[in-house]
Amino acid sequence: MKIKHIALACLAATGFSLSAWADINVGVTLSATGPAASLGIPEKNTISLLPKTMGGQKVNYIVLDDGSDTTGAVTNARKLMSEKVDVIFGSSTTPASLAMIDAVAEGKTPMISLGASAAIIEPQDAKKRWVFKTPQNDIMMALAIAGHMADHGIKTVGFIGFSDAYGEGWYKETVKALDLKKIKLVANERYGRTDTAVTGQVLKLMAAKPDAVLIAGSGTPAALPEKTLKERGYTGKIYQTHGVANNDFLRVGGKDVEGTLLPAGPVLVADQLPASNPVRKSALEYIHAYEGAYGKGSVSTFGGHVWDAGKVLAAAAPVALKGGQPGTEAFRAALRDAIEQVKDVAGAHGIFNMSPQDHLGLDQRGVVMVKIENGKWVYQPGK
């Protein structure tokens, strides 16, 4: 896979060399191509906006494309670690991030995942102690959805999700959240990220006559079940996960996704939030930086996860530099320990407070409900 160098590092044209041992080197593997490209592209774009120095040390970012492939993500992680990177960001999806855990634990290199599932960091063990993440956990978002459903009189729900770790993780958390609100799950279907038709699954969903349907997909492939439901005449409410919170989903879904409800990070509707919202200011900081580089209306929540990874790393790096020199095992261990102790870091999606028990560090301040109206994201204040 081709190595792409971000213009923060003066690396050799014939291949990257990390011989500048005083520099902090960040390895990145993202899904810039393939089914998850609508996640990976804004993530890749955000890399150029991250700090060029941390703790007085120059920072180099080395970015690889894993093509939305789990094997590619693991290969990239091992390649980056062979070059003595100090930390890895990535990958874009839950399956790829889960696949990388064994590699980074073996290499004793901290990893900040951009995947959503809580399974990436829970339960904590000898391997996952090296892994952190910045996207909100499924249960945080599932609770927001279930709360909204209960507030709006929904009694029965049909579920359709990806036939992989993302879909399965969301199913488990959805069951928990719906049970808390005494809402009945009446159908459970699955589909593949690369499927081109879901007619059979949708017919089964509709036969169960749910008041609402929750689609647990991410990126543009999440539009397929919704378009099919609309084609088949379904008139109930449709919910999506935060995995669709980018403009590519709006473009692909078009009129068929009008009225969709979803939980999202505050960054998606930051300018609509009340001044009292604790995340508004830090979310707008990312929006202004991204749109300043890529144009008005170009911002994506997925890029915000990379921004937040950069914020967390910038808070941890000065502490870790007291424990070792970049490029060494001692520094990587110190960096892992320092990330675990990060407190009150304001990011695009929330306020991060890490701990040995919590390698995400977000609370419900990192969640808002949003509705798609006239092709735009519209903030939905709680009752």
Side-chain angles (χ1 to χ4, degrees), residues 129-206:
R129 70 185 297 270
W130 290 95
V131 184
F132 303 83
K133 75 185 190 77
T134 53
Q136 300 87 339
N137 278 340
D138 304 340
I139 189 59
M140 295 171 63
M141 299 308 207
L143 287 170
I145 290 173
H148 189 276
M149 288 177 171
D151 288 344
H152 291 80
I154 290 171
K155 304 295 184 183
T156 58
V157 175
F159 178 95
I160 179 169
F162 283 157
S163 54
D164 60 21
Y166 186 85
E168 186 59 26
W170 256 96
Y171 174 72
K172 290 178 179 178
E173 303 302 352
T174 297
V175 169
K176 295 177 190 176
L178 293 181
D179 283 348
L180 288 172
K181 295 296 183 179
K182 309 301 182 187
I183 298 172
K184 186 178 181 181
L185 187 69
V186 295
N188 174 22
E189 297 294 327
R190 295 288 192 276
Y191 75 108
R193 290 176 184 253
T194 58
D195 285 356
T196 57
V198 290
T199 303
Q201 297 96 315
V202 163
L203 290 175
K204 291 178 183 177
L205 284 173
M206 293 180 65

Side-chain angles (χ1 to χ4, degrees), residues 333-357:
L335 187 57
R336 191 218 74 86
D337 293 347
I339 294 172
E340 196 172 71
Q341 299 302 320
V342 160
K343 301 297 179 190
D344 296 321
V345 172
H349 285 284
I351 313 297
F352 290 86
N353 288 284
M354 301 286 189
S355 74
Q357 296 76 35

Side-chain angles (χ1 to χ4, degrees), residues 224-246:
L224 179 61
E226 188 157 3
K227 292 176 78 71
T228 307
L229 282 162
K230 292 293 179 66
E231 288 169 2
R232 292 286 169 170
Y234 181 71
T235 57
K237 291 186 182 296
I238 297 179
Y239 290 79
Q240 291 272 2
T241 74
H242 56 312
V244 305
N246 69 5

Side-chain angles (χ1 to χ4, degrees), residues 16-19 25 78-86:
F16 62 86
S17 171
L18 305 182
S19 58
N25 292 297
R78 292 192 183 281
K79 171 64 174 173
L80 291 163
M81 288 188 294
S82 74
E83 299 292 340
K84 298 291 191 278
V85 297
D86 298 300

